[in-house]
mmCIF file of all heavy atoms in Angstrom:
data_model
loop_
_atom_site.group_PDB
_atom_site.id
_atom_site.type_symbol
_atom_site.label_atom_id
_atom_site.label_comp_id
_atom_site.label_asym_id
_atom_site.label_seq_id
_atom_site.Cartn_x
_atom_site.Cartn_y
_atom_site.Cartn_z
ATOM 1 N N HIS H 214 -44.751 16.104 51.404
ATOM 2 C CA HIS H 214 -45.721 16.758 50.525
ATOM 3 C C HIS H 214 -46.989 15.920 50.379
ATOM 4 O O HIS H 214 -48.112 16.433 50.523
ATOM 5 C CB HIS H 214 -45.100 16.989 49.142
ATOM 6 C CG HIS H 214 -46.112 17.156 48.054
ATOM 7 N ND1 HIS H 214 -46.761 18.343 47.814
ATOM 8 C CD2 HIS H 214 -46.598 16.264 47.148
ATOM 9 C CE1 HIS H 214 -47.602 18.187 46.814
ATOM 10 N NE2 HIS H 214 -47.525 16.944 46.392
ATOM 11 N N GLU H 215 -46.824 14.634 50.106
ATOM 12 C CA GLU H 215 -47.984 13.775 49.881
ATOM 13 C C GLU H 215 -48.843 13.660 51.139
ATOM 14 O O GLU H 215 -50.080 13.706 51.069
ATOM 15 C CB GLU H 215 -47.515 12.400 49.415
ATOM 16 C CG GLU H 215 -46.835 12.426 48.040
ATOM 17 C CD GLU H 215 -46.196 11.117 47.665
ATOM 18 O OE1 GLU H 215 -46.021 10.253 48.555
ATOM 19 O OE2 GLU H 215 -45.848 10.940 46.481
ATOM 20 N N GLY H 216 -48.181 13.501 52.288
ATOM 21 C CA GLY H 216 -48.925 13.387 53.537
ATOM 22 C C GLY H 216 -49.612 14.683 53.927
ATOM 23 O O GLY H 216 -50.746 14.680 54.423
ATOM 24 N N LEU H 217 -48.940 15.807 53.696
ATOM 25 C CA LEU H 217 -49.526 17.107 54.015
ATOM 26 C C LEU H 217 -50.792 17.339 53.201
ATOM 27 O O LEU H 217 -51.816 17.800 53.726
ATOM 28 C CB LEU H 217 -48.516 18.222 53.734
ATOM 29 C CG LEU H 217 -49.037 19.658 53.869
ATOM 30 C CD1 LEU H 217 -49.461 19.942 55.304
ATOM 31 C CD2 LEU H 217 -47.979 20.654 53.413
ATOM 32 N N ALA H 218 -50.745 17.027 51.913
ATOM 33 C CA ALA H 218 -51.917 17.228 51.050
ATOM 34 C C ALA H 218 -53.113 16.442 51.567
ATOM 35 O O ALA H 218 -54.253 16.933 51.541
ATOM 36 C CB ALA H 218 -51.579 16.814 49.620
ATOM 37 N N ALA H 219 -52.883 15.229 52.054
ATOM 38 C CA ALA H 219 -53.982 14.404 52.569
ATOM 39 C C ALA H 219 -54.472 14.913 53.924
ATOM 40 O O ALA H 219 -55.682 14.944 54.187
ATOM 41 C CB ALA H 219 -53.527 12.948 52.679
ATOM 42 N N GLU H 220 -53.547 15.319 54.787
ATOM 43 C CA GLU H 220 -53.948 15.811 56.111
ATOM 44 C C GLU H 220 -54.748 17.110 56.022
ATOM 45 O O GLU H 220 -55.663 17.333 56.823
ATOM 46 C CB GLU H 220 -52.720 16.014 56.998
ATOM 47 C CG GLU H 220 -52.135 14.727 57.537
ATOM 48 C CD GLU H 220 -51.119 14.968 58.644
ATOM 49 O OE1 GLU H 220 -50.765 16.137 58.886
ATOM 50 O OE2 GLU H 220 -50.682 13.988 59.269
ATOM 51 N N LEU H 221 -54.406 17.969 55.074
ATOM 52 C CA LEU H 221 -55.129 19.235 54.929
ATOM 53 C C LEU H 221 -56.615 18.999 54.688
ATOM 54 O O LEU H 221 -57.464 19.778 55.143
ATOM 55 C CB LEU H 221 -54.533 20.061 53.785
ATOM 56 C CG LEU H 221 -53.225 20.770 54.094
ATOM 57 C CD1 LEU H 221 -52.579 21.305 52.819
ATOM 58 C CD2 LEU H 221 -53.446 21.914 55.085
ATOM 59 N N VAL H 222 -56.938 17.925 53.991
ATOM 60 C CA VAL H 222 -58.338 17.617 53.697
ATOM 61 C C VAL H 222 -58.980 16.829 54.826
ATOM 62 O O VAL H 222 -60.074 17.168 55.299
ATOM 63 C CB VAL H 222 -58.456 16.828 52.375
ATOM 64 C CG1 VAL H 222 -59.906 16.471 52.090
ATOM 65 C CG2 VAL H 222 -57.884 17.640 51.230
ATOM 66 N N THR H 223 -58.299 15.777 55.282
ATOM 67 C CA THR H 223 -58.936 14.836 56.199
ATOM 68 C C THR H 223 -58.859 15.246 57.668
ATOM 69 O O THR H 223 -59.753 14.910 58.448
ATOM 70 C CB THR H 223 -58.289 13.454 56.050
ATOM 71 O OG1 THR H 223 -56.880 13.548 56.364
ATOM 72 C CG2 THR H 223 -58.444 12.931 54.625
ATOM 73 N N ARG H 224 -57.803 15.962 58.066
ATOM 74 C CA ARG H 224 -57.622 16.299 59.475
ATOM 75 C C ARG H 224 -57.847 17.775 59.786
ATOM 76 O O ARG H 224 -58.333 18.106 60.871
ATOM 77 C CB ARG H 224 -56.218 15.896 59.937
ATOM 78 C CG ARG H 224 -55.895 14.417 59.796
ATOM 79 C CD ARG H 224 -56.928 13.537 60.534
ATOM 80 N NE ARG H 224 -57.032 13.865 61.930
ATOM 81 C CZ ARG H 224 -56.275 13.330 62.897
ATOM 82 N NH1 ARG H 224 -55.367 12.417 62.572
ATOM 83 N NH2 ARG H 224 -56.425 13.684 64.153
ATOM 84 N N TYR H 225 -57.487 18.640 58.845
ATOM 85 C CA TYR H 225 -57.576 20.078 59.120
ATOM 86 C C TYR H 225 -58.715 20.759 58.382
ATOM 87 O O TYR H 225 -58.967 21.947 58.605
ATOM 88 C CB TYR H 225 -56.242 20.756 58.764
ATOM 89 C CG TYR H 225 -55.059 20.122 59.453
ATOM 90 C CD1 TYR H 225 -53.971 19.666 58.723
ATOM 91 C CD2 TYR H 225 -55.051 19.940 60.832
ATOM 92 C CE1 TYR H 225 -52.885 19.060 59.355
ATOM 93 C CE2 TYR H 225 -53.976 19.332 61.467
ATOM 94 C CZ TYR H 225 -52.900 18.896 60.717
ATOM 95 O OH TYR H 225 -51.840 18.295 61.341
ATOM 96 N N HIS H 226 -59.404 20.021 57.513
ATOM 97 C CA HIS H 226 -60.581 20.533 56.811
ATOM 98 C C HIS H 226 -60.301 21.881 56.139
ATOM 99 O O HIS H 226 -61.062 22.838 56.269
ATOM 100 C CB HIS H 226 -61.759 20.653 57.783
ATOM 101 C CG HIS H 226 -61.989 19.406 58.587
ATOM 102 N ND1 HIS H 226 -62.410 18.216 58.008
ATOM 103 C CD2 HIS H 226 -61.807 19.141 59.915
ATOM 104 C CE1 HIS H 226 -62.519 17.282 58.945
ATOM 105 N NE2 HIS H 226 -62.150 17.811 60.103
ATOM 106 N N ALA H 227 -59.178 21.921 55.429
ATOM 107 C CA ALA H 227 -58.769 23.120 54.699
ATOM 108 C C ALA H 227 -58.480 22.743 53.244
ATOM 109 O O ALA H 227 -57.331 22.782 52.796
ATOM 110 C CB ALA H 227 -57.546 23.755 55.355
ATOM 111 N N PRO H 228 -59.504 22.382 52.480
ATOM 112 C CA PRO H 228 -59.291 21.888 51.118
ATOM 113 C C PRO H 228 -58.752 22.933 50.148
ATOM 114 O O PRO H 228 -58.286 22.580 49.063
ATOM 115 C CB PRO H 228 -60.692 21.416 50.693
ATOM 116 C CG PRO H 228 -61.626 22.253 51.513
ATOM 117 C CD PRO H 228 -60.937 22.416 52.832
ATOM 118 N N LYS H 229 -58.832 24.208 50.520
ATOM 119 C CA LYS H 229 -58.359 25.259 49.609
ATOM 120 C C LYS H 229 -56.893 25.629 49.828
ATOM 121 O O LYS H 229 -56.365 26.470 49.107
ATOM 122 C CB LYS H 229 -59.240 26.500 49.743
ATOM 123 C CG LYS H 229 -60.661 26.285 49.244
ATOM 124 C CD LYS H 229 -61.471 27.565 49.304
ATOM 125 C CE LYS H 229 -62.888 27.341 48.787
ATOM 126 N NZ LYS H 229 -63.695 28.592 48.826
ATOM 127 N N VAL H 230 -56.255 25.028 50.821
ATOM 128 C CA VAL H 230 -54.813 25.233 50.997
ATOM 129 C C VAL H 230 -54.111 24.333 49.985
ATOM 130 O O VAL H 230 -54.215 23.104 50.048
ATOM 131 C CB VAL H 230 -54.352 24.909 52.429
ATOM 132 C CG1 VAL H 230 -52.841 25.067 52.544
ATOM 133 C CG2 VAL H 230 -55.056 25.832 53.422
ATOM 134 N N ARG H 231 -53.416 24.936 49.056
ATOM 135 C CA ARG H 231 -52.813 24.209 47.944
ATOM 136 C C ARG H 231 -51.461 23.611 48.311
ATOM 137 O O ARG H 231 -50.736 24.150 49.170
ATOM 138 C CB ARG H 231 -52.638 25.137 46.732
ATOM 139 C CG ARG H 231 -53.910 25.856 46.283
ATOM 140 C CD ARG H 231 -55.046 24.902 46.099
ATOM 141 N NE ARG H 231 -56.212 25.521 45.497
ATOM 142 C CZ ARG H 231 -57.425 24.973 45.525
ATOM 143 N NH1 ARG H 231 -57.611 23.801 46.132
ATOM 144 N NH2 ARG H 231 -58.448 25.574 44.952
ATOM 145 N N THR H 232 -51.114 22.531 47.637
ATOM 146 C CA THR H 232 -49.802 21.902 47.822
ATOM 147 C C THR H 232 -49.178 21.663 46.450
ATOM 148 O O THR H 232 -49.829 21.139 45.548
ATOM 149 C CB THR H 232 -49.917 20.565 48.575
ATOM 150 O OG1 THR H 232 -50.864 19.725 47.902
ATOM 151 C CG2 THR H 232 -50.363 20.787 50.010
ATOM 152 N N VAL H 233 -47.927 22.054 46.312
ATOM 153 C CA VAL H 233 -47.202 21.912 45.044
ATOM 154 C C VAL H 233 -45.907 21.154 45.302
ATOM 155 O O VAL H 233 -45.169 21.482 46.252
ATOM 156 C CB VAL H 233 -46.888 23.286 44.422
ATOM 157 C CG1 VAL H 233 -46.004 23.124 43.185
ATOM 158 C CG2 VAL H 233 -48.172 24.025 44.070
ATOM 159 N N LEU H 234 -45.641 20.145 44.507
ATOM 160 C CA LEU H 234 -44.388 19.396 44.578
ATOM 161 C C LEU H 234 -43.561 19.695 43.339
ATOM 162 O O LEU H 234 -44.067 19.660 42.218
ATOM 163 C CB LEU H 234 -44.659 17.893 44.657
ATOM 164 C CG LEU H 234 -43.427 16.974 44.642
ATOM 165 C CD1 LEU H 234 -42.572 17.206 45.881
ATOM 166 C CD2 LEU H 234 -43.846 15.508 44.540
#
Side-chain angles (χ1 to χ4, degrees):
H214 158 81
E215 294 172 345
L217 173 63
E220 284 192 352
L221 283 168
V222 178
T223 60
R224 301 304 303 272
Y225 306 125
H226 310 293
K229 293 184 179 181
V230 177
R231 306 309 188 196
T232 54
V233 174
L234 176 64

